[in-house]
Amino acid sequence: MTDHDKNYDDTLILIKDVETDSGSWTYLSIDAGTPPTTETIVSMGHEPNGYFWDGVVRRLVELNRTPQLEDADPEGGAFFARGSREDLEALAVALTPYLTDDDAITSLVREADAAGFDFDD
């Protein structure tokens, strides 16, 4: 996928390739407090932090809407994941509606809460 083919909101999701002396890797990051759906998440009783977004990713993996990640690293203010560029771009596409659309995040959270899913936020 080239930059002009992106099907995700790159103002909310950063995917970056990193090269070091010990090798190269790709990571995805989300600044947890900035998505437009933040107020909706709070109104549903959740904390829109990195752990919440890790829960969203785990739920999407359970629902087969995104590939399993190599390595996720939630923190209070951000969510980070490492993996192949292809998998991270697929994750970014899958996450975009939940970062930008109040109805989408409401539906996902309500269904997950009803199923007893723990966002661990």
Side-chain angles (χ1 to χ4, degrees):
M1 181 179 292
T2 60
D3 284 344
H4 68 275
D5 292 332
K6 287 180 185 168
N7 292 318
Y8 63 90
D9 188 332
D10 62 3
T11 65
L12 297 172
I13 302 170
L14 173 68
I15 298 177
K16 185 168 176 129
D17 296 311
V18 177
E19 303 231 1
T20 66
D21 291 339
S22 59
S24 63
W25 45 279
T26 303
Y27 76 90
L28 172 148
S29 67
I30 299 168
D31 195 8
T34 60
T37 55
T38 296
E39 288 183 29
T40 299
I41 295 163
V42 170
S43 75
M44 291 186 291
H46 288 278
E47 177 84 25
N49 58 26
Y51 300 99
F52 172 81
W53 290 108
D54 182 58
V56 170
V57 170
R58 286 184 292 108
R59 186 65 180 163
L60 293 176
V61 168
E62 280 185 6
L63 297 171
N64 295 315
R65 294 184 191 163
T66 191
Q68 181 71 42
L69 298 175
E70 284 178 30
D71 185 25
D73 183 21
E75 297 180 8
F79 171 79
F80 299 96
R82 282 182 28 170
S84 71
R85 176 165 278 280
E86 181 180 0
D87 285 352
L88 294 176
E89 286 180 347
L91 174 59
V93 169
L95 280 172
T96 292
Y98 306 108
L99 294 162
T100 61
D101 182 337
D102 291 326
D103 291 337
I105 194 64
T106 299
S107 177
L108 180 77
V109 169
R110 285 187 179 156
E111 177 269 322
D113 285 346
F117 181 83
D118 183 5
F119 285 92
D120 198 24
D121 56 338

